[in-house]
Amino acid sequence: MKIKLVKTKNPRRVPKTLRKKSREVKEISPDILGLINEMRDIMQKNKGVGISAIQVGVPLRIMVVESCQENFVLINPEIIKLGKEKIPFREGCLSFPGCYSQILRPEKVKLKAKNLEWKDIEIEADGLIGRCFQHEIDHMNGIVFIDHLKDLRDLEKEPEKKRKNE
Ligand code: ZN
């Protein structure tokens, strides 16, 4: 498998791949484990917090999320509950390097998913992780974070130099 990050510098031209709907994973195979490792490598190299398989061109419902506190690999995740209260949070995306914006989403989310041992798990999250889960599940449905903006002019663009020091 040739794995590469799907990205664009022009948020007005969303790569077609990112509009694909991802399929459910049927079972864990060596190929799937290899894919997950490559996703993690690409995410860490680009200093991301989360990545979905479609962002490396593979339309499967897999996400890797890593913060300083917790690490997750979630397969076939589904939102089972969203908090009522929505709050703004500054989001970025590995597929849109240098672009950031405040996005309004529910603060709390509850998910069910399979883990790497193919067990059913349920997770409740808020803060950065809760935000990331919602962002990555959007990717699986062909939605990108800038779709939540009314006006693309609300996007902040950061110069390359500053980004490298993040
Ligand atoms: Zn993203």
Side-chain angles (χ1 to χ4, degrees), residues 50-52 55 92-96 135-136 139 143-145:
I51 191 168
S52 290
Q55 289 181 276
C93 180
L94 291 177
S95 297
F96 298 87
H135 177 121
E136 302 310 333
H139 274 305
I143 298 165
V144 293
F145 81 113

Side-chain angles (χ1 to χ4, degrees), residues 53-144:
I54 193 63
Q55 289 181 276
V56 297
V58 181
L60 288 174
R61 304 184 84 85
I62 303 171
M63 67 161 93
V64 177
V65 171
E66 294 189 346
S67 78
C68 32
Q69 286 121 17
E70 287 172 288
N71 299 338
F72 301 93
V73 175
L74 300 181
I75 300 161
N76 303 336
E78 276 174 62
I79 292 176
I80 50 177
K81 205 171 158 191
L82 280 173
K84 283 204 178 75
E85 198 194 342
K86 289 187 179 181
I87 56 162
F89 193 100
R90 190 168 180 270
E91 289 187 32
C93 180
L94 291 177
S95 297
F96 298 87
C99 292
Y100 297 90
S101 187
Q102 297 286 341
I103 305 283
L104 202 63
R105 295 186 197 259
E107 184 180 16
K108 287 185 186 155
V109 59
K110 191 173 179 187
L111 299 183
K112 66 171 189 173
K114 296 270 190 205
N115 66 9
L116 273 176
E117 287 80 47
W118 206 246
K119 287 206 176 93
D120 290 306
I121 52 166
E122 283 191 8
I123 312 170
E124 259 185 283
D126 56 12
L128 176 65
I129 298 289
R131 182 56 59 139
C132 225
F133 286 167
Q134 295 178 64
H135 177 121
E136 302 310 333
I137 287 178
D138 269 359
H139 274 305
M140 296 174 193
N141 296 320
I143 298 165
V144 293

